[in-house]
Amino acid sequence: MSDELRMTCMKISRRTRFENVESVAPHQFSVLCKLMDAPLPIGGLAEAECVSRPSMTRTVDGLVEGGYVVRVADGGDKRRTWVHITDAGRESVLQTKRSRDVWMNERIAQLSDDECELLAQATAILARVVAR
């Protein structure tokens, strides 16, 4: 059961990740989501995304070029750079989330009421599994 569940979750995740990738790639979207609440340094982003600093630097470079983020030097430590999301970056996140919600809602709308209730229960259970 665990293999089938894991594979199905991966398929859903993969499919939704590639919904609306016109503005930013999936790995860039993930970084933008991390920045929605507060700016982070490159090292913090790399750690949060489980990638190397050079890899995160390349990702941030692409986001800077697209106007989705800006780099701001730390006032107390000039070696440290903070990454701030721009209005364009925020709009990209919101637009991508809306598009992904439409994709998912279209599929859920094809389910019966009983299936929707079961899916709601499964969602709560899966949230507990992930939280452990």
Side-chain angles (χ1 to χ4, degrees), residues 73-105:
D74 188 303
D77 182 353
K78 297 296 182 190
R79 297 169 295 172
R80 187 174 218 185
T81 301
W82 291 83
V83 182
H84 294 250
I85 193 167
T86 64
D87 288 342
R90 287 185 187 286
E91 182 55 34
S92 179
V93 168
L94 297 175
Q95 179 184 8
T96 300
K97 285 183 176 184
R98 282 191 298 266
S99 176
R100 290 175 179 183
D101 286 346
V102 166
W103 179 87
M104 184 63 80
N105 286 332

Side-chain angles (χ1 to χ4, degrees), residues 34-51:
K34 299 275 186 306
L35 296 170
M36 287 292 282
D37 294 328
L40 289 168
I42 296 271
L45 284 169
E47 185 177 318
E49 291 292 300
C50 300
V51 298

Side-chain angles (χ1 to χ4, degrees), residues 109-120:
Q110 297 172 19
L111 302 175
S112 70
D113 289 344
D114 288 342
E115 289 172 321
C116 286
E117 176 59 32
L118 188 58
L119 186 58

